[in-house]
Amino acid sequence: EPTTPTTKPDYSIKDDLLALTFSVFLQTKDLKNAYKTVKIALQKYPDSLYWHEQMAKVALWIEEFDDAHRSMLFVYKNRKKHPEGFMKTLESLAINKGDYATIAEIMKQDIINGKTEKLSDFIYLETELLGNIDDAIKFLQELSEQSGTSETKKEAIKQLIKLYFNLNEANKVIYYVNELTKNKYKLDAEIAILTSSSYFAKRNYEDSLKILLQYAPIASDNETEFWEQL
């Protein structure tokens, strides 16, 4: 389990003798003993950011990936800003360990920062692997309620449509399709099919056909699923 602080994290070295010993081992490139020294330090000071940062570095160097993952996760949760290289390394360690919660958390921050292309993978992690359907919906709703128009807002609405369709909530599918068109976002073949199916489930056959006919003029010949639906 990842280390979590029991008290406020502390960046001080706390133990000059341990720090000196650690420094000597690093200077002589004795990484195994440097690693053992950090292990001792963390047993004494489990909430020390300083020693977790040292563990993250040394553990990576000697390929003790469980310790590297644990300490990097501690640093991630207890520091506000991190360099890009740190985040990439933490994500790689989380993937290697199957730590889907951390992967999802990193992806969520990336999406908030504008990396919309990660939204689909994030929703898959949250719903299929972590089972956090309510949390995923809440996050998507927050994105969909952004002011103005943006790629992130559009994709969030589309993901809500797909999620609610899979949950057999036809009314909510139709609501978010209306949100899509209200914001002047264009339909695509998948959304047209899901919307048509939702209207059909409500026995609203007229609108079920209407949404398909609305998309048909821009549908390409290779969108076979759409043409089969029509």
Side-chain angles (χ1 to χ4, degrees):
E1 290 297 317
T3 305
T4 52
T6 54
T7 59
K8 186 177 180 180
D10 189 351
Y11 193 71
S12 63
I13 293 173
K14 283 187 174 292
D15 193 317
D16 289 338
L17 180 59
L18 274 173
L20 178 61
T21 304
F22 175 68
S23 178
V24 170
F25 285 138
L26 282 187
Q27 288 173 16
T28 58
K29 298 182 180 179
D30 187 348
L31 298 181
K32 286 189 177 180
N33 277 318
Y35 168 72
K36 289 178 182 178
T37 304
V38 183
K39 291 277 273 190
I40 293 168
L42 282 174
Q43 286 171 1
K44 293 181 69 175
Y45 312 111
D47 300 317
S48 168
L49 269 169
Y50 172 81
W51 286 113
H52 276 290
E53 287 187 340
Q54 305 316 310
M55 173 59 85
K57 289 186 288 188
V58 175
L60 281 173
W61 291 336
I62 65 171
E63 299 184 352
E64 291 286 349
F65 295 127
D66 284 350
D67 282 327
H69 170 260
R70 189 179 298 110
S71 283
M72 288 195 80
L73 190 55
F74 181 96
V75 174
Y76 171 69
K77 289 181 176 180
N78 290 287
R79 268 198 182 285
K80 290 183 178 179
K81 293 184 179 179
H82 308 280
E84 187 175 348
F86 175 94
M87 297 306 297
K88 286 183 177 179
T89 302
L90 176 57
E91 189 170 16
S92 294
L93 288 169
I95 291 170
N96 183 61
K97 194 170 175 61
D99 178 7
Y100 300 124
T102 297
I103 300 166
E105 192 174 338
I106 293 170
M107 292 177 78
K108 184 177 182 179
Q109 289 304 314
D110 285 341
I111 293 161
I112 290 170
N113 292 331
K115 294 184 179 179
T116 309
E117 68 275 7
K118 295 192 174 186
L119 189 55
S120 179
D121 288 341
F122 169 76
I123 295 303
Y124 175 78
L125 276 174
E126 281 286 280
T127 59
E128 298 298 324
L129 298 181
L130 295 171
N132 298 332
I133 295 174
D134 290 342
D135 289 344
I137 289 173
K138 182 180 177 182
F139 179 59
L140 288 171
Q141 287 173 336
E142 289 170 357
L143 294 177
S144 74
E145 291 165 4
Q146 292 177 346
S147 59
T149 58
S150 68
E151 187 68 17
T152 300
K153 182 174 181 175
K154 178 182 76 174
E155 291 305 317
I157 295 172
K158 286 185 175 182
Q159 289 294 329
L160 281 165
I161 292 167
K162 295 173 188 178
L163 260 180
Y164 280 126
F165 181 82
N166 289 333
L167 293 170
N168 296 315
E169 297 199 35
N171 287 333
K172 289 185 177 178
V173 170
I174 293 165
Y175 171 82
Y176 279 105
V177 170
N178 289 333
E179 286 294 298
L180 201 65
T181 54
K182 186 173 76 176
N183 284 278
K184 302 190 186 317
Y185 296 125
K186 293 180 179 178
L187 294 174
D188 60 32
E190 183 180 15
I191 297 302
I193 292 169
L194 298 185
T195 310
S196 175
S197 297
S198 296
Y199 277 124
F200 195 88
K202 290 171 61 65
R203 298 186 179 181
N204 185 341
Y205 306 124
E206 183 179 347
D207 284 335
S208 177
L209 177 60
K210 185 178 177 181
I211 197 77
L212 295 175
L213 293 175
Q214 182 181 333
Y215 182 72
I218 58 173
S220 63
D221 291 340
N222 61 5
E223 288 178 317
T224 53
E225 188 177 352
F226 170 80
W227 293 113
E228 287 171 1
Q229 182 88 357
L230 185 60

